[in-house]
Amino acid sequence: MKPVKISRGVFWVGAVDWNIRDFHGYKTPRGTTYNAYLIIDEKTTLVDTVKREFAGDLITRIKDIIDPANIDYVISNHVEMDHSGALPEILKIAEKAKVVCTAKGKEGLKKHYKQEWNFETVKTGDELKFGEKTLKFVELPMLHWPDSMATYLVEDQILLSNDAFGQHVATSQRCNDKVKEIDIMDEAAKYYANILEPYSGLIPKAVEKIVAMGIAPRIIAPSHGVIWLENPMQIVNAYLEWSKGVHRDKVIIAYDTMWHSTEKMAVAILEGIASEGVTAQLFHLRQSDWSEIIKEIKFSKILLIGTPTINNAIFPSVSGFLEHIKGLRFKGKAASVFGSYGWSGEAPGAVVKRLEEAGFQIIDQGLRIQWVPGAAELAQCFEFGRKIAGQIKGSI
Ligand code: FEO
């Protein structure tokens, strides 16, 4: 329960949530952290809080450094409750503290907590000097909520970036130079694909804005996961690359199946793709981590959806998955469909429409097989896979 010193007068006082496995739908097999930072100077500033049930951890860590009643400012970079949940508890103790946030942040906090706190709203470029140290604010609307902002600690060159540049991992060490057991960049990519992908178009502009403000971080301290202490620009450069769209030579097959017929098709298609030397990955939609599938789609060229037809419609898990990927607004991806059916086989046609609505380029109207695929039908699936692989080779 000890705070962790990040820089002179700057401490991590957040919470580690080792056991969370589902973060409002995002699967978190490695848990997560809620990072909050205490900055000590003539006045005392807390940057962000933690999820409500971890308020005790936050307060204990703060008490190890100062009496939390002496907090002068709480910077609320983002309204979402994993960062603001402990704000009511903190403000009960730090009665005179000002809550510093964007105008949208104030609106959101008032609506969430029904409280008239002592708010001070800030805009991009505004500064708050609280002794030798200065905070500079950067609004980051829609990265990933309208209220989002980042806070820069000027003298220490620490960018407190909130959700941006985060990863959902729980670790015993706080900084990337000490965390060797996890591929942090891979977790950051999963986080990007699942949370920031729809807002990719805003990322280069946000980075430009930050650079134009003279912000050159020595440390990037997000609100989830590990702090980027060693080579912090690696994550900024990765975001710039990911925001352009990354389409590697890979096919993702996401399917569900009732009596294994669509599954047999999926495997035969995968073998056809692989026979052409192209990488493919297979995911059963009720047995796989959707957040992981989303990451793999982000870094692939083609998505193949497999669905049985049930009650003249798409299988429910497949339908839910299609709705989910529509919201993520992938760009520059291609797709097709396959599925087994018993009577009428409407599902693949319906999937094509849904994939188009989700922004995918349809490269083939797909393959339907009636009843259980036998040797001849499996050979058709294999050929379908080869044809899909050919699209990759021809770069679609
Ligand atoms: Fe980590 Fe948007 O909250």
Side-chain angles (χ1 to χ4, degrees):
M1 287 275 181
K2 292 282 175 200
V4 179
K5 187 176 174 187
I6 304 298
S7 183
R8 188 176 55 88
V10 183
F11 300 87
W12 176 90
V13 289
V16 182
D17 191 348
W18 288 98
N19 293 317
I20 188 169
R21 292 292 175 269
D22 187 323
F23 190 106
H24 60 47
Y26 183 131
K27 298 291 180 234
T28 50
R30 296 181 187 279
T32 194
T33 69
Y34 313 109
N35 298 336
Y37 302 93
L38 190 71
I39 310 172
I40 308 291
D41 204 326
E42 281 169 29
K43 299 212 169 180
T44 301
T45 301
L46 176 66
V47 179
D48 289 318
T49 72
V50 296
K51 212 172 174 184
R52 185 175 56 84
E53 53 263 48
F54 292 90
D57 291 23
L58 172 69
I59 291 165
T60 304
R61 287 195 169 101
I62 295 171
K63 277 185 177 167
D64 207 78
I65 307 166
I66 51 138
D67 178 350
N70 294 330
I71 294 172
D72 298 287
Y73 298 103
V74 183
I75 313 298
S76 178
N77 279 321
H78 179 29
V79 171
E80 198 164 5
M81 285 83 87
D82 48 332
H83 309 298
S84 67
L87 197 48
E89 288 301 311
I90 289 290
L91 293 174
K92 266 187 222 157
I93 303 168
E95 289 175 343
K96 291 186 190 137
K98 273 191 178 174
V99 178
V100 179
C101 58
T102 61
K104 283 278 179 201
K106 177 178 171 182
E107 193 185 313
L109 288 171
K110 285 174 83 169
K111 283 187 177 152
H112 274 76
Y113 296 104
K114 325 285 184 225
Q115 299 276 349
E116 284 297 334
W117 290 319
N118 185 8
F119 286 103
E120 180 172 329
T121 58
V122 290
K123 302 187 294 302
T124 296
D126 286 355
E127 292 188 355
L128 175 69
K129 193 146 183 72
F130 55 106
E132 284 179 16
K133 295 184 192 281
T134 315
L135 293 177
K136 192 182 262 204
F137 303 101
V138 192
E139 292 169 279
L140 296 174
M142 296 322 295
L143 292 175
H144 70 126
W145 276 22
D147 60 275
S148 297
M149 71 169 182
T151 296
Y152 186 56
L153 182 53
V154 176
E155 293 74 13
D156 299 80
Q157 294 175 265
I158 303 176
L159 183 64
L160 302 147
S161 58
N162 196 263
D163 278 336
F165 310 128
Q167 338 88 43
H168 281 312
V169 291
T171 52
S172 57
Q173 298 288 332
R174 299 276 59 84
C175 299
N176 66 332
D177 61 325
K178 296 271 179 5
V179 176
K180 302 295 175 202
E181 73 278 18
I182 296 171
D183 183 344
I184 297 298
M185 195 51 89
D186 189 58
E187 291 291 343
K190 180 176 175 184
Y191 186 96
Y192 182 103
N194 282 275
I195 295 174
L196 292 157
E197 179 64 24
Y199 313 110
S200 285
L202 302 174
I203 284 170
K205 290 181 198 122
V207 172
E208 261 173 45
K209 178 161 82 173
I210 287 169
V211 170
M213 288 171 72
I215 292 175
R218 183 176 61 83
I219 300 172
I220 295 180
S223 58
H224 294 292
V226 166
I227 294 166
W228 301 93
L229 178 68
E230 189 175 81
N231 186 12
M233 289 312 285
Q234 67 182 300
I235 188 62
V236 177
N237 292 333
Y239 265 46
L240 287 172
E241 185 200 338
W242 298 339
S243 71
K244 284 186 264 175
V246 185
H247 314 292
R248 296 184 185 139
D249 286 353
K250 189 165 74 171
V251 182
I252 304 303
I253 304 174
Y255 73 98
D256 207 328
T257 193
M258 291 171 70
W259 292 102
H260 301 292
S261 294
T262 300
E263 186 165 66
K264 285 185 174 127
M265 292 180 71
V267 171
I269 291 167
L270 178 131
E271 286 171 359
I273 296 166
S275 74
E276 293 294 317
V278 172
T279 300
Q281 285 172 278
L282 194 70
F283 296 98
H284 185 300
L285 283 170
R286 277 178 296 147
Q287 292 171 12
S288 306
D289 168 352
W290 282 18
S291 311
E292 191 65 26
I293 306 173
I294 295 300
K295 182 193 76 183
E296 298 301 341
I297 293 172
K298 162 87 190 146
F299 294 102
S300 67
K301 269 189 187 157
I302 298 179
L303 171 64
L304 295 182
I305 293 285
T307 179
T309 297
I310 182 167
N311 300 326
N312 311 102
I314 302 168
F315 197 76
S317 60
V318 179
S319 185
F321 187 70
L322 290 167
E323 192 62 21
H324 188 47
I325 59 174
K326 182 181 172 189
L328 290 167
R329 305 204 286 268
F330 284 112
K331 291 196 172 54
K333 307 282 179 200
S336 188
V337 63
F338 62 92
S340 153
Y341 65 100
W343 315 317
S344 45
E346 290 91 342
V351 168
V352 164
K353 286 199 189 89
R354 298 274 299 276
L355 284 167
E356 280 174 335
E357 283 168 18
F360 286 77
Q361 177 200 346
I362 304 301
I363 46 170
D364 192 295
Q365 289 302 306
L367 180 63
R368 298 187 316 155
I369 300 282
Q370 193 170 24
W371 307 119
V372 179
E377 287 90 358
L378 290 174
Q380 254 182 288
C381 293
F382 187 90
E383 278 312 307
F384 179 70
R386 287 188 60 213
K387 200 160 94 178
I388 294 295
Q391 295 275 2
I392 291 244
K393 288 179 163 178
S395 275
I396 306 175

